[in-house]
Amino acid sequence: MADSAGIQQGSPAIGAAGLVPAAPGAGGTEGSGAAGGSARIAVKKAQLRSSPRPKKLEKLGVYSSCKAEGACKCNGWKSQNPPPTPPRTDQQANAVNLQEPCRSCSHTLGDHVTHLENVSEEEVNRLLGIVLDVEYLYTCVHKEEDADTKQVYFSLFKLLRKSILQMGKPMLEAQESPPFERPSIEQGVNNFVQYKFSHLPSKERQTIVELAKMFLNQINYWQLETPSQRRQRVPTDDAAGYKASYTRWLCYCNVPQFCDSLPRYDTTQIFGRTLLRAVFTVMRKQLLEQARQEKDKLPPEKRTLILTHFPKFLSMLEEEVYSHSSPIWSQDFLAGVSGGQIPIHTVISPPAVARQLYYSTSPVSVDPSTCGSVSPARKSASAPEPSQVGEKRKPPEPLPYEENKRPRVVGDIPMELINEVMATIADPAAIPETSLLSAHSARDEAARLEERRGVIEFHVIGNSLNQKPNKRILMWLVGLQNVFSHQLPRMPKEYITRLVFDPKHKTLSLIKDGRVIGGICFRMFPSQGFTEIVFCAVTSNEQVKGYGTHLMNHLKEYHIKHEILNFLTYADEYAIGYFKKQGFSKDIKVPKAKYVGYIKDYEGATLMGCELNPSIPYTEFSVIIKKQKEIIKKLIERKQAQIRKVYPGLSCFKEGVRQIPIESIPGIRTSATPLTVQHAQSETGWKPIGKGKELKDPDQLYSTLKTILQHVKSHPNAWPFMEPVKKTEAPGYYQVIRFPMDLKTMSERLKSRYYTTRKLFMADMQRIFTNCREYNPPESEYYKCANLLEKFFYTKIKEAGLIEK
């Protein structure tokens, strides 16, 4: 048992700011001698267990019923000459006499302990441990002032007393046994770490894991307030529900810390979101207050972690604890990544599909397979039964990725090479953060760094007519009203005030040094599938720092989390440029019937819209793009290093030449005696594509491709590839197939005029066949379907004149 913070060895401790676990009888308050009391009990048990056998029998006889003939009803031996209270330290203990009579029933001590004559020493020692726990609980019952706590102590006292009489193990009789809620607090915090931080580099993610471990330890040793104390603090709270949780916590978590005869559970493993909601606000406030007060006592290596990163961690967790739609409390949250609960110390590496856990709100996780193009499922390796032809079925067992390697589409880069290149890219966590950013840095990079350091914070806030006003939120709302009024002078102040304080509107507020410096006021219309952005502003002296872009990115992820994927706003002439940079356009994707009568019309402003992609982590999007550019750059450098001969640059264009054949470029030129041009290969690995007729007229191209696609879909071997894969039918499919494709997706792309050239169309079709052959073994029915359909497809392509026959 820890004697200060209660943090396990190897975990970051709050040091002096850690809470001391309170012993039973403390009345719901923190007891400074709690850990010492627990240690004293352990010492007493050790001393008693080392005593002579007669002394042990005397102790057990006090709690054992009389076994003398005549059905004696005495339930415990009582000495006729009890020792003085308190016992004298200079008085030697008298030898135990088993013939000494009981002052209650007059039968001897031996009559009370006859049932223990043949009991093993181990069992006697176990019973002695329960005896000391009974005595300790008896003291607690008399000292405890809170009625609810006293009642629980007394019930446990009777339970242990009964266990000694019956020589059984203490078993709590309850209608429901642990765990009481799923997912547990521990699992919810694990989900939170995956949900919010799986995209971070390993070094930064490890810091988050340390914070999570510290937080979970604090909950495990946190002393809950009594139901009566809570009623005084929160009169409107669910008193009966909290009392039930408090009783369970005492029985399964708190009392067993000191009475080890009872089975002990960690609070974070048997309780869930309900209890966490009840204690989080108070716990967060007290933890941070104690950390600030005792910061000078903290070790230097822990000071930054606790004073800088811990408050931010708690703020982000608080939003998920009290959000009604947070996905981290779904039991299916990590079903695709792991089958069971994840200990907090294992949350180190990101999941296989990082975006799957990023800003998903519904119990069903957002998966890349459901966004955009998807692919046919992996079919069973065995041939289908006649009655099952045309159905997609689960494979008997998924094949490992290594056993599924098939020829990839031309142009694919092996994952081994990508991983090797990524290892050469400097870890961002190792790069010192600086305000002197590169001229090529993303607009939101400075803001992102400030948020990571805790300089700025983002909170979605709003006024409420149902809950008691929060002073801090009200101050922020007033600050937002001032920012909007100052930055939008043409907007009436009364109108701004009305909307900012309207309970139907919310505002994503940007907080710096405790004051509001910007925000985006919006109103959500979930039934209509869009959100109206009403005001958007950053105070003038904080502009040109990327705050506006980072604000909008946070708002996008907030809405992806709430499954609203469209923004609408009326932008004035000064704001159109800003909204264009944030992905807004005048091409409105929301049907007019959805927003007419809902959105406010502003005279002289331009209606703009933005469609969100749920598979994009917007706040980290520029970081991802930057890393992709670095990977491409490294790949190009590697390819260039492999080319031994360096050719001079082309000078023919300076002489007025407009264009030249690609084969005539030095280095690109193919070998001297190729069998055919189509199969020749250059020094750089470039291969000429078979020549064919490229249709210039878009309508003619559309008509030709539509005809070919209809023929392919009508082919008898096309049935496995008609629709996207379903994860339930092919577990692990999307871990193997990185670029899925299917005929339904191709039809949708063709309808949206995505295929502007024959090459795009052919590449998608080829992807279907390659994916199937990569995922399925050669002897499977689906592998054969892919081969036959591929031959048919190229026959139709040649007939249309799109490639040479």
Side-chain angles (χ1 to χ4, degrees), residues 24-25 130-131 133-138 140-141 148-164 169-174 246-259 261-263:
I130 301 178
V131 166
D133 288 343
V134 165
E135 293 177 350
Y136 183 72
L137 279 174
Y138 181 78
C140 291
V141 169
D148 296 316
T149 310
K150 183 191 285 283
Q151 184 179 2
V152 175
Y153 288 162
F154 186 65
S155 299
L156 294 176
F157 166 80
K158 291 193 296 182
L159 172 68
L160 294 180
R161 187 87 165 75
K162 182 179 178 182
S163 299
I164 301 172
K169 292 185 177 181
M171 296 295 293
L172 293 168
E173 297 179 3
Y246 178 77
T247 301
R248 289 169 170 172
W249 172 78
L250 281 175
C251 294
Y252 291 98
C253 305
N254 182 257
V255 174
Q257 289 186 41
F258 310 92
C259 299
S261 305
L262 295 168

Side-chain angles (χ1 to χ4, degrees), residues 23-179:
T29 59
E30 298 160 16
S32 59
S38 177
R40 286 192 295 272
I41 297 172
V43 170
K44 283 185 179 180
K45 287 183 178 181
Q47 291 175 345
L48 190 57
R49 286 166 179 162
S50 63
S51 302
R53 177 93 176 190
K55 187 70 176 178
K56 295 179 180 179
L57 295 178
E58 178 187 16
K59 192 73 174 178
L60 289 172
V62 175
Y63 296 92
S64 301
S65 58
C66 184
K67 307 297 186 299
E69 297 180 0
C72 181
K73 296 182 179 180
C74 178
N75 63 355
W77 178 80
K78 298 176 182 61
S79 175
Q80 293 186 342
N81 301 302
T85 304
R88 290 176 52 185
T89 56
D90 59 343
Q91 188 177 30
Q92 294 185 354
N94 296 327
V96 176
N97 182 9
L98 294 179
Q99 301 304 317
E100 186 177 348
C102 171
R103 74 167 184 257
S104 295
C105 66
S106 299
H107 292 114
T108 64
L109 171 62
D111 291 331
H112 284 78
V113 296
T114 54
H115 63 294
L116 298 172
E117 289 179 359
N118 299 321
V119 172
S120 66
E121 197 71 17
E122 182 181 358
E123 177 64 12
V124 169
N125 288 339
R126 185 185 72 83
L127 293 173
L128 285 172
I130 301 178
V131 166
L132 288 182
D133 288 343
V134 165
E135 293 177 350
Y136 183 72
L137 279 174
Y138 181 78
T139 305
C140 291
V141 169
H142 287 278
K143 288 185 176 180
E144 182 58 54
E145 297 178 358
D146 178 72
D148 296 316
T149 310
K150 183 191 285 283
Q151 184 179 2
V152 175
Y153 288 162
F154 186 65
S155 299
L156 294 176
F157 166 80
K158 291 193 296 182
L159 172 68
L160 294 180
R161 187 87 165 75
K162 182 179 178 182
S163 299
I164 301 172
L165 287 171
Q166 299 178 352
M167 296 180 63
K169 292 185 177 181
M171 296 295 293
L172 293 168
E173 297 179 3
Q175 294 181 350
E176 187 179 0
S177 58

Side-chain angles (χ1 to χ4, degrees), residues 296-335:
D296 295 333
K297 300 178 183 178
L298 296 174
E301 64 275 10
K302 300 289 175 63
R303 193 169 300 160
T304 302
L305 182 72
I306 295 170
L307 298 180
T308 303
H309 299 297
F310 199 41
K312 177 64 176 176
F313 176 87
L314 293 178
S315 296
M316 296 178 69
L317 180 58
E318 183 176 27
E319 183 178 343
E320 301 304 320
V321 169
Y322 293 105
S323 170
H324 295 289
S325 56
S326 174
I328 70 173
W329 303 105
S330 166
Q331 294 190 42
D332 302 326
F333 182 81
L334 288 177

Side-chain angles (χ1 to χ4, degrees), residues 345-585:
H345 58 272
T346 66
V347 185
I348 295 176
S349 57
V353 183
R355 181 54 196 170
Q356 178 179 349
L357 309 177
Y358 199 89
Y359 272 105
S360 166
T361 58
S362 61
V364 180
S365 299
V366 175
D367 186 88
S369 63
T370 62
C371 309
S373 62
V374 283
S375 65
R378 178 200 174 188
K379 310 302 186 293
S380 173
S382 59
E385 299 292 334
S387 61
Q388 293 177 316
V389 173
E391 296 180 1
K392 297 175 183 174
R393 295 168 289 123
K394 267 188 176 182
E397 58 182 18
L399 295 176
Y401 177 75
E402 288 73 17
E403 297 177 13
N404 282 281
K405 291 180 180 178
R406 307 288 178 202
R408 292 184 177 273
V409 173
V410 175
D412 275 1
I413 301 173
M415 281 304 299
E416 296 80 7
L417 177 58
I418 293 178
N419 291 332
E420 184 182 346
V421 170
M422 288 184 67
T424 66
I425 298 175
D427 185 357
I431 301 175
E433 296 180 357
T434 173
S435 58
L436 301 175
L437 296 169
S438 166
H440 301 289
S441 299
R443 285 192 299 272
D444 60 337
E445 190 161 349
R448 189 187 305 108
L449 292 175
E450 287 192 7
E451 182 186 11
R452 191 174 299 169
R453 291 196 296 260
V455 177
I456 58 175
E457 297 179 4
F458 296 86
H459 299 273
V460 176
I461 61 174
N463 196 14
S464 174
L465 300 179
N466 302 323
Q467 299 178 354
K468 186 178 179 180
N470 183 298
K471 183 178 178 181
R472 184 179 65 167
I473 290 179
L474 288 178
M475 291 297 293
W476 284 350
L477 289 173
V478 172
L480 287 164
Q481 189 268 346
N482 291 333
V483 171
F484 292 145
S485 298
H486 187 266
Q487 297 300 127
L488 307 171
R490 292 190 292 180
M491 198 69 67
K493 291 184 179 180
E494 296 80 6
Y495 178 70
I496 292 175
T497 304
R498 179 160 61 86
L499 294 190
V500 169
F501 284 89
D502 177 17
K504 296 178 181 178
H505 287 72
K506 296 180 181 179
T507 306
L508 174 63
S509 54
L510 170 58
I511 311 299
K512 186 174 184 178
D513 298 330
R515 61 184 182 86
V516 176
I517 63 168
I520 301 177
C521 182
F522 60 94
R523 180 174 178 181
M524 304 168 76
F525 295 96
S527 62
Q528 306 305 111
F530 77 93
T531 281
E532 177 193 8
I533 294 179
V534 185
F535 307 126
C536 177
V538 175
T539 186
S540 54
N541 61 331
E542 296 286 356
Q543 291 179 4
V544 201
K545 294 183 179 180
Y547 292 153
T549 297
H550 206 43
L551 255 176
M552 186 60 70
N553 286 338
H554 269 287
L555 188 68
K556 289 175 180 177
E557 297 208 338
Y558 178 83
H559 279 77
I560 289 173
K561 180 176 153 186
H562 289 81
E563 298 183 320
I564 298 178
L565 303 180
N566 284 283
F567 288 159
L568 291 177
T569 188
Y570 273 98
D572 61 26
E573 55 184 315
Y574 302 106
I576 290 177
Y578 164 77
F579 283 110
K580 279 186 177 180
K581 292 177 182 177
Q582 309 309 320
F584 286 71
S585 73

